[in-house]
Amino acid sequence: MQPLSAAELTAALPRDGSLPGYSVTGTPESSTDGSTSDPDVRPEACRPLWDARAGASATSVARAWVSISPSGFAPPTESLTFASYDSDGADAHLASLDKALDACPSLSFLSRYGDRVTADIERVASQVTLGDASVSFRMHWTADLNGLKSDTLSLITTVRTGEATVTAVSDSSVGSQLSASKKRAFMPKLDHDMLKSQADALREAQER
């Protein structure tokens, strides 16, 4: 079976009005360059996790992504990325995430202001049981801009369906008034029904 092309992945992405409870807030984009994210991620062994948050994968044949926004007050920032792989590539991609999670309780990256920021990482066990396999984890970091601190909590979930994956990323900003213990306990919510619908869309695209 040939891996899905960028055009086929794009066609499988949701359109506005097709995802109950959500708005599609951007125009779908795609890539076939297998690019990765920030080259300044440290340690290097943790790069697959930061790439996953950015919707990137060095081993994918093609990717397509779009921004979505759930209905409600102050919704988190969310994105969906579909990616296709050569034979056994999707399974190897999830294995690389598993390996990185075992090795990386934290990683650091450069912020857009050039500051090095450390993100704590936590595997989220049993967050989702969809598709053929799945990996879910949370990142938490605090950015300091001229003494003004802001916390970001990011939930990243990748589900494999055949030789393709769907990655859902949800970024939530947490107010500085929350205690450190509450920030540590805060978990962005994952919409299982939404993610199942997208995993099903990927499976259907591969069966055409």
Side-chain angles (χ1 to χ4, degrees), residues 2-98:
Q2 288 290 107
L4 293 172
S5 67
E8 289 170 322
L9 291 170
T10 301
L13 284 170
R15 295 296 188 269
D16 203 18
S18 68
L19 202 56
Y22 290 81
S23 297
V24 175
T25 57
T27 301
E29 298 181 61
S30 63
S31 173
T32 57
D33 62 5
S35 61
T36 58
S37 58
D38 186 349
D40 291 304
V41 171
R42 301 175 186 170
E44 178 67 23
C46 306
R47 178 181 299 281
L49 302 177
W50 191 251
D51 286 348
R53 182 187 171 270
S57 170
T59 58
S60 64
V61 172
R63 294 179 296 124
W65 60 93
V66 72
S67 298
I68 61 174
S69 178
S71 304
F73 176 73
T77 300
E78 298 196 20
S79 65
L80 288 171
T81 299
F82 288 172
S84 61
Y85 298 81
D86 285 322
S87 181
D88 296 326
D91 192 48
H93 175 62
L94 258 69
S96 74
L97 296 179
D98 270 322

Side-chain angles (χ1 to χ4, degrees), residues 107-197:
L107 60 76
S108 70
F109 62 95
L110 288 181
S111 74
R112 58 183 170 177
Y113 304 107
D115 301 319
R116 183 155 291 278
V117 178
T118 297
D120 296 323
I121 302 170
E122 176 187 0
R123 184 191 292 271
V124 181
S126 303
Q127 177 71 25
V128 62
T129 53
L130 297 171
D132 299 318
S134 63
V135 173
S136 190
F137 60 98
R138 188 190 77 155
M139 287 185 175
H140 171 213
W141 66 88
T142 303
D144 189 332
L145 180 60
N146 297 324
L148 182 63
K149 294 184 177 181
S150 63
D151 286 80
T152 298
L153 293 109
S154 184
L155 179 65
I156 301 99
T157 303
T158 297
V159 176
R160 177 177 72 82
T161 301
E163 290 300 337
T165 60
V166 51
T167 298
V169 178
S170 176
D171 285 349
S172 298
S173 296
V174 180
S176 58
Q177 69 272 18
L178 290 182
S179 66
S181 61
K182 286 186 177 180
K183 289 175 184 175
R184 285 194 298 271
F186 181 84
M187 179 64 68
K189 294 185 182 299
L190 180 69
D191 187 333
H192 286 244
D193 290 339
M194 181 275 290
L195 193 55
K196 181 179 185 303
S197 73

